[in-house]
Amino acid sequence: MDNAFVAILMGSESDLPVMQGANDVLTSLGVRSEMKITSAHRTPAATQQYLADAEARGCAVFIAGAGLAAHLAGAVAAHTLKPVIGVPIDSGPMQGMDSLLSTVQMPAGIPVGTVAIGKTGAKNAGYLAAQILALQDPELAKRVKAEREQKAANVQAQDRALQESRKS
Ligand code: RP5
C-alpha cells in the first residue's frame, strides 16, 4: 500500500524523549510515520477519533507508548485490527514495571505486542513495525536486512579493536 504509514502514539509530552526513538528508527529505514500525543485516560474520545482517522488515511501499524497505569496500547487495540505494538514507559516511581504489566496483560483476542521498557523498547517498536511493513515491501525488507548487516559489522569492528588493543 503506497500510503501506508506507522502511527506513533503517546500519552503525554513527557513520553516524547522515549518515543522519539521509534520515530528515528522508522525515519532511518525510510518508513513514513507520524507522532500523536493522545491519552487513553485524559482524552479518550479524541484518541478514538484519531484512530479512525489514521486508519482511513492508511495507517498500517500502531505503536503506543504510555507510563503508569498504561492503557493507551490496549485502548488502541480495542478499536483496530491493525497490529498494535505497546511501549511501556518508565515515567513513574515503579520504573516502568507498572506500565509493563498494564501493557502486556491483555485479555485473549485483543493482543498488544509488547516490547521492553523505555528507550530500547521504543527503538525495537520501530524495527518491529518496519519488519511488519516489509512483509509486503521488498525494498524495505532489503533496507532492514542491510541495517542488520551494518550492526553485525559494527560488533565485529569493535572486537577487532579490542583484540588489537590487547596486543599492545
Ligand atoms: C501517562 O502518564 C503518560 O503516558 C505518562 O507516561 C504518564 C505521566 O504523564 P504526565 O503527568 O507527565 O503528563 O498517561
Side-chain angles (χ1 to χ4, degrees), residues 29-45:
L29 291 168
V31 176
R32 214 155 61 81
S33 65
E34 64 183 37
M35 301 182 97
K36 175 84 179 170
I37 298 171
T38 191
S39 166
H41 300 134
R42 290 166 173 159
T43 60

Side-chain angles (χ1 to χ4, degrees), residues 10-15 39-42 65-70 72 89 91-92:
M10 64 208 85
S12 167
E13 188 185 28
S14 64
D15 300 325
S39 166
H41 300 134
R42 290 166 173 159
L68 302 175
L72 184 58
I89 295 188
S91 52

Side-chain angles (χ1 to χ4, degrees), residues 88-104:
I89 295 188
D90 43 342
S91 52
M94 298 175 81
Q95 286 150 0
M97 278 308 291
D98 44 358
S99 335
L100 173 62
L101 296 177
S102 308
T103 305
V104 79

Side-chain angles (χ1 to χ4, degrees), residues 22-158:
N23 187 70
D24 291 347
V25 166
L26 290 166
T27 302
S28 74
L29 291 168
V31 176
R32 214 155 61 81
S33 65
E34 64 183 37
M35 301 182 97
K36 175 84 179 170
I37 298 171
T38 191
S39 166
H41 300 134
R42 290 166 173 159
T43 60
T47 299
Q48 199 174 339
Q49 207 173 358
Y50 172 75
L51 295 176
D53 176 62
E55 276 213 49
R57 290 185 291 108
C59 178
V61 181
F62 289 95
I63 296 174
L68 302 175
H71 293 129
L72 184 58
V76 172
H79 290 289
T80 183
L81 297 181
K82 303 288 187 227
V84 178
I85 304 170
V87 183
I89 295 188
D90 43 342
S91 52
M94 298 175 81
Q95 286 150 0
M97 278 308 291
D98 44 358
S99 335
L100 173 62
L101 296 177
S102 308
T103 305
V104 79
Q105 289 285 25
M106 290 297 291
I110 317 291
V112 169
T114 305
V115 292
I117 297 169
K119 287 189 173 177
T120 298
K123 287 181 194 165
N124 269 346
Y127 285 114
L128 193 51
Q131 287 177 226
I132 292 168
L133 291 181
L135 291 171
Q136 297 193 33
D137 183 341
E139 289 306 312
L140 174 57
K142 279 185 205 163
R143 294 196 294 278
V144 171
K145 186 163 183 275
E147 212 267 356
R148 284 247 181 141
E149 286 165 355
Q150 183 58 54
K151 279 206 159 39
N154 290 348
V155 172
Q156 286 163 341
Q158 288 165 7

